[in-house]
């Protein structure tokens, strides 16, 4: 990982760097910049792009008590693919703050039927580890939470967070290590996202009513402004097996995508770092049946 400064660029400097960004984007042979791939959807008056080095730009999302946070969305939508992005999270006392990276369809899909693949980074008091909160919504229903303690300090450098979404499974990875897999067991009656084109999004917002130790630790606004940094978005379209037109036509019996999941690495990461799994929450399902997917793997 390349080292990164924790100094927050000034808005004036950011504006000047943005002009440089736009000039570079027009140059032939320059790699695609984040500035070209996403748009700021809210909080544009206090979030900004800046150049880290030639060919690599960074989007700094900002949260203050008076602004409610900020967010971005990809300009394109996708149906299956691999999504990698580098993020450096809010430093020092980040309690109450939540930075996100997720896939969700546009507003034309009714909320009651939408699909969603979520990574939410829950801040904590200084010195405490960050929590990665994951969830998967299908046909408007979520409740499939798994949480992990990050095994490094995600505030001092960029780390890569990834979503692999194909017809066989959804895989969530941290620096290339799989921490979660949600398999397609549609044949057993388990819902799986297969038809909604989704837009990649990221946000930084305040959720101190629940984010840190169940809401017991509130946001310390004397520490504001809070910043989360995003860079180097890579989107790799899903590649079907030979002779198949596109990923959605992959035959159920095909094992083409099974090679994408390192099962041994997944089990090791979960044994070391998982702190919550809805499938083993006895209180939650005391008087209910476990979701079908909990008994399907």
């Amino acid at each position: 990982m390349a080292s990164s400064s924790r100094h927050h660029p000034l808005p004036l400097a950011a504006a000047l760097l943005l002009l440089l960004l736009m000039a570079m984007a027009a140059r032939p042979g320059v790699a695609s910049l984040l500035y070209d791939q996403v748009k700021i959807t809210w909080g544009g008056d206090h979030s900004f792009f800046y150049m880290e080095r030639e060919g690599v730009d960074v989007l700094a999302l900002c949260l203050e008590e008076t602004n409610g946070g900020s967010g971005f969305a990809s300009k394109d939508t996708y149906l299956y693919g691999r999504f990698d992005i580098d993020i450096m999270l809010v430093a020092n006392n980040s309690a109450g703050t939540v930075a996100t990276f997720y896939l969700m369809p546009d507003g034309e899909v009714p909320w009651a039927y939408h699909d969603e693949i979520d990574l939410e980074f829950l801040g904590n008091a200084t010195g405490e580890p960050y929590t990665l909160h994951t969830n998967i919504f299908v046909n408007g229903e979520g409740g499939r939470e798994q949480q992990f303690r990050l095994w490094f300090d995600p505030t001092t450098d960029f780390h890569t967070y990834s979503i692999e979404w194909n017809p066989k499974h959804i895989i969530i990875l941290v620096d290339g290590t799989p921490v979660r897999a949600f398999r397609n067991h549609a044949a057993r009656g388990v819902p799986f996202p297969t038809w909604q084109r989704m837009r990649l999004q990221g946000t930084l917002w305040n959720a101190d009513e629940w984010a840190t130790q169940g809401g017991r630790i509130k946001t310390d606004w004397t520490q504001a402004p809070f910043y989360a940094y995003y860079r180097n978005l890579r989107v790799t379209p899903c590649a079907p097996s030979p002779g198949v037109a596109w990923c959605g036509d992959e035959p159920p019996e095909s094992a083409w995508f099974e090679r994408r999941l390192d099962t041994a690495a997944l089990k090791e990461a979960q044994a070391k770092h998982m702190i919550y799994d809805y499938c083993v929450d006895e209180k939650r399902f005391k008087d209910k049946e476990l979701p079908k997917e909990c008994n399907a793997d």
Side-chain angles (χ1 to χ4, degrees):
M1 299 265 176
S3 61
S4 304
S5 171
R6 299 176 69 179
H7 172 69
H8 303 311
L10 297 173
L12 177 58
L16 296 174
L17 287 167
L18 183 54
L19 292 175
L20 177 60
L21 267 175
M22 297 172 68
M24 288 187 62
R27 290 170 49 192
V30 175
S32 181
L33 298 170
L34 187 61
Y35 176 80
D36 299 318
Q37 297 170 288
V38 307
K39 56 186 177 182
I40 297 177
T41 51
W42 56 292
D45 59 336
H46 47 268
S47 295
F48 49 86
F49 292 89
Y50 67 92
M51 292 301 298
E52 182 182 60
R53 59 184 183 274
E54 184 171 359
V56 179
D57 61 329
V58 176
L59 173 56
L61 295 184
C62 177
L63 167 65
E64 295 189 74
E65 188 172 13
T66 56
N67 67 30
S70 48
F72 70 89
S74 63
K75 295 178 180 179
D76 295 328
T77 60
Y78 308 93
L79 182 58
Y80 299 131
R82 165 79 176 238
F83 309 87
D84 301 272
I85 197 165
D86 301 339
I87 306 173
M88 184 164 58
L89 297 173
V90 175
N92 302 319
N93 186 356
S94 57
T97 70
V98 175
T100 69
F101 167 54
Y102 62 100
L103 295 172
M104 193 172 71
D106 284 332
E108 62 265 18
V109 176
W111 185 256
Y113 301 101
H114 85 290
D115 297 340
E116 190 172 341
I117 304 170
D118 285 345
L119 281 72
E120 297 182 293
F121 302 92
L122 311 185
N124 217 327
T126 302
E128 295 293 323
Y130 255 83
T131 296
L132 169 58
H133 176 95
T134 69
N135 201 355
I136 295 170
F137 287 75
V138 188
N139 298 327
E141 293 188 7
R144 301 177 177 91
E145 302 93 345
Q146 288 184 350
Q147 292 184 340
F148 307 86
R149 290 282 195 231
L150 295 180
W151 53 94
F152 49 83
D153 185 346
T155 73
T156 59
D157 205 346
F158 285 92
H159 291 264
T160 302
Y161 304 92
S162 311
I163 299 171
E164 171 94 24
W165 172 37
N166 62 53
K168 292 293 183 179
H169 40 223
I170 296 164
I171 310 169
I172 294 174
L173 306 97
V174 177
D175 285 336
T177 298
V179 297
R180 178 169 190 177
F182 184 80
R183 296 181 182 274
N184 185 348
H185 288 298
R188 305 185 192 183
V190 178
F192 189 86
T194 58
W195 65 273
Q196 296 179 21
R197 295 187 65 86
M198 294 202 268
R199 201 174 295 277
L200 185 147
Q201 303 191 49
T203 60
L204 176 62
W205 57 292
N206 177 51
D208 66 1
E209 72 276 8
W210 66 272
T212 304
Q213 299 183 29
R216 291 188 294 273
I217 308 298
K218 301 300 183 181
T219 304
D220 180 1
W221 293 109
T222 67
Q223 302 295 310
F226 302 104
Y227 288 94
Y229 302 92
Y230 295 74
R231 75 176 186 192
N232 199 18
L233 171 62
R234 291 90 75 198
V235 179
T236 307
C238 184
S241 59
V244 177
W246 77 289
C247 284
D249 287 338
E250 195 69 32
E253 65 274 11
S254 170
W256 178 255
F257 293 109
E258 298 303 324
R259 63 186 177 84
R260 305 293 296 180
L261 177 60
D262 185 338
T263 304
L266 173 69
K267 290 182 178 179
E268 181 179 0
Q270 291 187 339
K272 290 182 177 179
H273 308 299
M274 182 184 287
I275 60 172
Y276 178 80
D277 181 2
Y278 72 110
C279 282
V280 296
D281 190 337
E282 296 181 357
K283 292 183 178 179
R284 182 172 178 178
F285 298 106
K286 181 178 181 181
D287 299 317
K288 307 176 185 176
E289 290 187 6
L290 280 174
K292 292 180 181 180
E293 64 267 22
C294 294
N295 297 315
D297 287 335

